[in-house]
Every structure is written in C-alpha cells, then in structure tokens.
Amino acid sequence: MPLPSLPRPARAMVALAVAGLLLIGLAGPGLVSAAGDGPTIAARALLQGHVRQGAWFAIAVDLENAGPTVTGELRVAGGSDSKSRFGVPVELATGSRKTYLLYAQPPGFGANVKVQLVDGETVVSEAVVAIALHDNAQLVTGVVSENPARIVGELDLLPGATGVAPTITTLTPADLPERIQAWSGLDRLVWQDVDASALTPAQLAALRTWLAGGGRLVIVGGTAGADVLSAFPDDLLPYRPDA
C-alpha cells in the first residue's frame, strides 16, 4: 500500500504560551513511584511518545493519594537546554484520584522525561516517561486499526529527503491529543475498522486543524462496516459511505 510523500503539517501551530499551560483530564498507565502510603503517579506520553525536537507534546498523568493531603506542583523538565520547567499547582486530598494532561517540550537529548509531584522542594512521587525524539525530516505515520499488524505490514514508505527511514507506530484513539499543539509529532494517520465515536469533540477539532496544516488522513476500508465512520464529519471524509 504505497503512500506518496506529502508535506508534513505546518509547524507554526505548535506555538503555545508557557504561562497558559493547562491540565486536562485524561487517564493513562505508566511507571509509578511513591513513598510509603503517599500519592502515586502514573504517566505516559500521547502519540506513543513520538515527539519533535523543539515542539510541544502531551503527557497523560494519573494521580492517586492514599495518604495525607498534598498541596504541591506537577512538574516536568524539558526544552532544548533541558532546564525549562513546565508545571501546574496540584492539590490532592486523602483518597482522591485526579487525572491531568500536561503539555511540555522535550529535552534536547535523551529517551525519557521525568514527571514529578513536588511539595515545596520535596519530591513526593515521580514517574519516568519514555519518548522517541524525531527531527523534522523524519516521517512519522500512526496507524489506528483493529488489526494494525496487517496495515503496518503493507505500508511502503519512502525515506525522507535526508535519507532517514520513516517511523510507523500503532495508536489508539486515546493516544490522540485534544490540543493541536501536541500533534506535531505526527505526519500521517491511517484509520481502519475503529469506531470514530471513540474520539472526543476536542480530538476531532484538533484532527481537523492538523489536516488543514498539512497532515494526511488515510481511511482504509475493512470488515466493520460504514457505521464506524459515522462520527467523522463530512469534511474529513472523501465521501459518505453507506455500505
């Protein structure tokens, strides 16, 4: 299933004011660390951790507190100098569970970032989040499919202008960010036999903006029927299938 080389999404849409960073509820598994019966933290990067140098990416963070109330900050370091700090205030009452989406920029080097829950200068809990850092010349294609191995095995993607081999990653609807700034790690998206109703309105809006900026969505027929595409608006489909 050869796919022609196409322009990657516009990078201008990745601008996001650090002072306006928001945390939005999302659940996600990850590596957990905690002291005693205090808060635990689980975190994972969306888009399966595929990020661009100098661009924004999203980390889903899940906090649970079995100990005393904690008032602190959820924090991640990053940026080209690895010294930038992104974070927001967090308050966890005893027995509470809270989920967040944290936006940050990746460090200039390394295969992971560390998300920390801090109280004053004390690290209460932390999790290591794996990332795969790509430069702007490398093509990254995501596959959302009921049986992604078949799609991945049939894709024939040419290397980029610099000769770097493309990357193909399998995704679920939950891996797609709700804010366009965090879509910069993805160039193409292949969708097959997965119900589009799993996408939130915010995800659909981000997908539409990503396409307007140069992203490419390939919708592949399968065995699940036309109903799985009913949640896609007409402007995201080449035509409205009825069978």
Side-chain angles (χ1 to χ4, degrees):
M1 183 187 305
L3 297 177
S5 179
L6 294 166
R8 65 185 62 257
R11 303 303 175 199
M13 292 184 295
V14 301
L16 178 67
V18 174
L21 285 175
L22 298 177
L23 292 179
I24 305 173
L26 270 185
L31 301 176
V32 179
S33 173
D37 294 328
T40 59
I41 179 172
R44 66 181 179 88
L46 300 193
L47 296 181
Q48 290 294 314
H50 293 277
V51 302
R52 298 281 184 193
Q53 292 177 342
W56 295 93
F57 73 106
I59 304 173
V61 183
D62 187 4
L63 298 173
E64 182 175 355
N65 186 19
T69 296
V70 173
T71 300
E73 181 184 32
L74 192 62
R75 180 185 300 171
V76 59
S80 59
D81 58 0
S82 300
K83 295 180 180 179
S84 299
R85 180 181 295 173
F86 309 93
V88 296
V90 169
E91 183 169 349
L92 291 174
T94 302
S96 64
R97 296 181 180 181
K98 294 185 179 182
T99 53
Y100 302 88
L101 191 60
L102 176 63
Y103 291 90
Q105 290 184 327
F109 301 96
N112 57 63
V113 295
K114 185 177 293 184
V115 179
Q116 295 180 324
L117 176 62
V118 297
D119 185 355
E121 296 302 321
T122 302
V123 176
V124 179
S125 188
E126 64 183 25
V128 176
V129 178
I131 60 172
L133 193 60
H134 304 281
D135 62 31
N136 291 333
Q138 187 171 18
L139 181 72
V140 179
T141 297
V143 177
V144 178
S145 174
E146 184 180 29
N147 190 346
R150 287 187 173 185
I151 297 291
V152 172
E154 293 181 8
L155 288 179
D156 182 15
L157 302 175
L158 297 176
T162 60
V164 180
T167 292
I168 303 173
T169 182
T170 59
L171 303 172
T172 68
D175 287 314
L176 301 177
E178 291 191 339
R179 299 187 65 171
I180 182 58
Q181 291 87 354
W183 280 69
S184 59
L186 192 65
D187 299 301
R188 302 181 193 172
L189 181 63
V190 180
W191 191 284
Q192 183 199 36
D193 274 1
V194 174
D195 195 341
S197 65
L199 295 174
T200 67
Q203 285 176 310
L204 284 171
L207 173 60
R208 181 184 284 108
T209 306
W210 176 75
L211 289 169
R216 294 293 182 266
L217 171 66
V218 180
I219 298 176
V220 183
T223 60
D227 288 346
V228 298
L229 301 178
S230 60
F232 279 131
D234 288 340
D235 61 336
L236 295 189
L237 295 174
Y239 66 93
R240 177 66 62 184
D242 56 16

